[in-house]
Amino acid sequence: MALIDHPFLDRYVAATGDPERLERGHGMDMAIWERVDELLLDLHLIRHGYAEDGYSRHVDRELDRHCADASVAQRMKDLRL
């Protein structure tokens, strides 16, 4: 499975997380797109106090596992869509 990287997030943000806004034949890996959606939802829940510390640590591990590097993981944490 490919990793989430800055170019992928650039396109995700440009489409405001809506795959319907992508141009035809976009070539985006929709499995990664869905993973970004899931992680952003998890981060939203954590930010708003709906997750326990253990779940927050789990999400941090998932970010490490799915993101190309720490700067991408931090960008994910900073995104507000």
Side-chain angles (χ1 to χ4, degrees):
M1 179 176 184
L3 296 174
I4 302 164
D5 58 14
H6 286 292
F8 186 92
L9 287 179
D10 290 343
R11 295 197 58 201
Y12 185 92
V13 169
T16 61
D18 182 359
E20 296 296 318
R21 292 184 177 199
L22 293 171
E23 69 279 357
R24 261 191 207 284
H26 52 74
M28 297 291 287
D29 184 337
M30 295 314 291
I32 297 175
W33 192 281
E34 290 173 9
R35 189 66 189 138
V36 170
D37 282 343
E38 292 167 1
L39 288 166
L40 289 176
L41 177 58
D42 289 340
L43 291 167
H44 176 82
L45 294 173
I46 291 166
R47 262 192 308 278
H48 293 282
Y50 294 108
E52 299 288 330
D53 287 340
Y55 192 73
S56 295
R57 288 190 300 275
H58 164 74
V59 171
D60 283 339
R61 287 189 302 272
E62 288 297 296
L63 286 168
D64 289 343
R65 188 172 137 223
H66 291 285
C67 292
D69 60 38
S71 70
V72 175
Q74 186 58 52
R75 185 174 175 192
M76 290 278 296
K77 290 178 181 180
D78 295 339
L79 275 177
R80 306 285 195 272
L81 292 178

